[in-house]
Amino acid sequence: MNTTQTNRLRVISQADLLELDVPRRRPLLGSWLTERHPSLIYAQTGRGKSLFVMSLAIALAGGGKVYGWEAEEPRKVLYVDAEMDLADIKDRDRFLLTAIEGVDEGALGQNLTILARHHQEPTVEFPDIFDEVGEKRLLKVIAEQRPALVVLDNLSTLANIEDENAASAFNPLLGTLTKLRSMNCAVILVHHTGKAEGKFRGSSKLATTFESVVELGKHDECGPDETGFVVSFDDKFRGPKASKPRKMKVKLDVDEVGNANWIVTETEDSKLYELVRLVETMAFSSQDDLAGELGVTKGTISKWKVRAVQAGLISDHYWKACLDAAADDVQDSEDF
């Protein structure tokens, strides 16, 4: 092999870029999790991070639907777990099946593969993803499995990090995510909250490597023995505004025979996101039209608009431009 050729940096002209056949990223779950999308999901210990993320993995592998996000088709998922006992993983997998709609269990059985620390022989060292040798071993498994999504649960148990507050400590992760993107993999990395709610543990540089950062915050209506959280996406979500998921409250309900069900309710923030999404479709020419679509009064739309602008979801100028564009389309169709 000519290493001089293979190690050269490639540049491309704008003209050649436009002619290049680059595959578009297909949706995996909903519109936010696409191929090659790296996501960081964090929460306090015991809040339900693994239950949340394992539900995503089952839904994608089995072509199901969870939290309102539906898989377009069953896709391969590799779940890397460095913490739980294999018996606990098995119990959780079986328990969560009833909480996810429309799962094809045959597809799930083929598509979801699990690499667990506590499933290895005592002489087999589990890979440290921040170690060059460990990374190579993990990438070899991924190359063999060819998953659309890799779940890494969780950072603290998968990597030996000497100082999480040092920005340079996360350089190995940046390299790993880049390699996984080139392998057409989306990634979900599970992590912990720091000392305070609303911030993950470690250097803020960690966030720069992800296209979405998701916090599972405190659900005020959940008791100490219940599992629930508020799902919120960071403002730096990389993707179309319309694909950014709305904030929602999620609670795990278990019936008298042990069947699980995720109960999802909207927050006021979710209503603001829905309003902005509708405005940006340029299909509504007035606040009356928006009120009719959402089943609220015009006064409510006015209040929500003020809050959406204050939250930075849309500007006054763009709001007016979208409504004007819709009005122009209506006029053009009438003239025609």
Side-chain angles (χ1 to χ4, degrees), residues 47-104:
R47 182 154 290 165
K49 297 183 297 294
S50 293
L51 289 169
F52 176 76
V53 173
M54 190 176 288
S55 295
L56 297 178
I58 292 171
L60 178 57
K65 180 179 181 181
V66 69
Y67 315 122
W69 304 324
E70 187 168 6
E72 289 205 345
E73 61 177 327
R75 301 289 296 273
K76 280 195 169 186
V77 178
L78 175 65
Y79 199 108
V80 184
D81 184 283
E83 184 173 16
M84 286 196 297
D85 187 271
L86 192 64
D88 294 335
I89 296 174
K90 177 181 177 180
D91 288 344
R92 286 192 174 189
D93 176 79
R94 183 184 290 122
F95 170 70
L96 289 170
L97 268 177
T98 58
I100 301 159
E101 301 174 38
V103 172
D104 180 335

Side-chain angles (χ1 to χ4, degrees), residues 32-33 37-41 187-189 210-214 233:
W32 73 274
L33 184 61
H37 180 111
S39 181
L40 175 70
I41 296 177
V187 180
I188 290 177
L189 176 67
F210 295 94
E211 293 187 352
S212 62
V213 177
V214 187
F233 282 68

Side-chain angles (χ1 to χ4, degrees), residues 77-142:
V77 178
L78 175 65
Y79 199 108
V80 184
D81 184 283
E83 184 173 16
M84 286 196 297
D85 187 271
L86 192 64
D88 294 335
I89 296 174
K90 177 181 177 180
D91 288 344
R92 286 192 174 189
D93 176 79
R94 183 184 290 122
F95 170 70
L96 289 170
L97 268 177
T98 58
I100 301 159
E101 301 174 38
V103 172
D104 180 335
E105 293 193 29
L108 174 63
Q110 295 297 316
N111 287 334
L112 179 57
T113 51
I114 297 164
L115 174 63
R117 180 191 296 275
H118 298 294
H119 184 222
Q120 310 307 314
E121 295 292 338
T123 55
V124 176
E125 185 175 352
F126 203 70
D128 179 335
I129 62 173
F130 276 30
D131 172 76
E132 185 176 352
V133 174
E135 182 205 49
K136 285 182 179 178
R137 293 176 63 214
L138 178 60
L139 292 179
K140 182 179 179 183
V141 173
I142 293 170

Side-chain angles (χ1 to χ4, degrees), residues 302-322:
S302 296
K303 291 176 183 177
W304 287 355
K305 175 195 172 184
V306 170
R307 292 172 189 163
V309 171
Q310 290 174 342
L313 302 180
I314 194 169
S315 67
D316 269 315
H317 176 76
Y318 190 54
W319 176 285
K320 184 176 184 303
C322 290

